[in-house]
Amino acid sequence: MKITVVGFWGAYPEKEEATSCYLVEHNGMKVVIDCGSGAVSQLQRYTELKDVDAVVFSHYHADHIADLGVIQYARIVDKALERTSDSLLMYGHQEDKAAFQSLTKEPAVEGLPYSEGESLQFGEMTFTFCRTDHPVPCFAIRVEAAGRSAVYTADTTYLDELVQFSKGADLLIAETSFYADQDSKPFGHMNSVEAGRMARKAGVGHLVLTHLPHFGNYEDLVKEARGEFGGEVELAAGGKVFKL
């Protein structure tokens, strides 16, 4: 399984970058997790848009879904030009009915539901979901294939349920929106210490800090997370690839 960081900023993208977006590939199957602002432009560095099989959204905040319409239009164009005959599948939760309905753009894009406790299958990849603590309904995503696993926390405060959901994962991509001395809970996010604690308690192999803030010294985030977690810790960056 190969995971490429396409976008990693929280709230808005820095210049020439993108907010949350990750490309997951295994045995020819390509699935995008979240598609935030600037994501479609950056995604084309790593794949042709016509080759994307599905997009899975953790939730409907703009920094995770802003390029929804853009990637829909890309598939409309690709089908019209006969670059592909496949419709793009888009998966989201149904707790915001209007947002869920916006995933469908006939005849090129089909919106489909997921729910906690159920799994989605993309080739040999299995996706499962865990509700997070955020101001709107949001779900963390676990991806498993060939005995390897990765967890993306999406947006959340620290939760024991997410520790259990992340148990034994080879890779934990954890949102880290604040520094150690800042209380992230009122905003529905985690700080660096909480991300490190989650990684340690879950016994993961590798921690990647993502959904980064637009202030401060980012190496401090790494140092603070390492105070809790003794495994490998690094910052997400556009184009960074993890092979599991």
Side-chain angles (χ1 to χ4, degrees), residues 20 34 56-65 92-93 99 114 132 134 136-139 141 152 154-156 189 211:
S20 298
D34 283 344
V56 181
F57 292 103
S58 64
H59 66 298
Y60 302 125
H61 272 162
D63 54 341
H64 295 256
I65 199 170
H93 67 71
Y114 69 72
T132 74
H134 198 55
V136 300
C138 179
F139 293 84
I141 300 168
Y152 166 58
D155 289 8
T156 187
H189 290 291
H211 204 270

Side-chain angles (χ1 to χ4, degrees), residues 112-127:
L112 297 164
Y114 69 72
S115 60
E116 190 174 30
E118 297 182 354
S119 63
L120 299 178
Q121 201 71 32
F122 301 104
E124 298 175 8
M125 294 188 291
T126 302
F127 280 52

Side-chain angles (χ1 to χ4, degrees), residues 23-46:
L23 174 63
V24 186
E25 302 173 77
H26 183 66
N27 283 353
M29 184 69 63
K30 297 186 178 186
V31 179
V32 170
I33 296 177
D34 283 344
C35 195
S37 180
V40 169
S41 176
Q42 296 300 313
L43 183 60
Q44 291 172 88
R45 296 177 182 269
Y46 317 112

Side-chain angles (χ1 to χ4, degrees), residues 66-186:
D67 270 14
L68 163 66
V70 180
I71 200 167
Q72 286 176 330
Y73 278 123
R75 185 53 55 101
I76 289 170
V77 170
D78 281 333
K79 288 192 78 171
L81 295 177
E82 298 183 346
R83 293 170 176 161
T84 181
S85 59
D86 296 331
S87 292
L88 180 62
L89 304 181
M90 287 192 167
Y91 291 83
H93 67 71
Q94 298 186 84
E95 296 188 30
D96 181 330
K97 295 294 186 183
F100 175 74
Q101 289 170 1
S102 72
L103 302 184
T104 295
K105 197 167 188 68
E106 296 179 341
V109 185
E110 181 181 3
L112 297 164
Y114 69 72
S115 60
E116 190 174 30
E118 297 182 354
S119 63
L120 299 178
Q121 201 71 32
F122 301 104
E124 298 175 8
M125 294 188 291
T126 302
F127 280 52
T128 53
F129 305 89
C130 178
R131 182 182 294 273
T132 74
D133 176 30
H134 198 55
V136 300
C138 179
F139 293 84
I141 300 168
R142 184 173 182 126
V143 186
E144 299 178 300
R148 307 286 279 175
S149 59
V151 172
Y152 166 58
T153 67
D155 289 8
T156 187
T157 64
Y158 179 90
L159 289 176
D160 288 335
E161 292 85 350
L162 274 180
V163 171
Q164 293 303 313
F165 184 70
S166 304
K167 279 285 186 184
D170 298 287
L171 179 69
L172 176 63
I173 304 172
E175 77 114 291
T176 311
S177 301
F178 292 90
Y179 291 82
D181 61 347
Q182 297 173 315
D183 183 5
S184 54
K185 186 167 180 136

Side-chain angles (χ1 to χ4, degrees), residues 179-198:
Y179 291 82
D181 61 347
Q182 297 173 315
D183 183 5
S184 54
K185 186 167 180 136
F187 304 96
H189 290 291
M190 285 196 295
N191 65 27
S192 53
V193 170
E194 291 165 327
R197 184 176 303 134
M198 182 173 290

Side-chain angles (χ1 to χ4, degrees), residues 216-230:
N217 181 345
Y218 299 115
E219 289 305 318
D220 287 344
L221 296 174
V222 174
K223 185 186 305 181
E224 291 160 1
R226 283 178 178 159
E228 285 281 337
F229 176 61

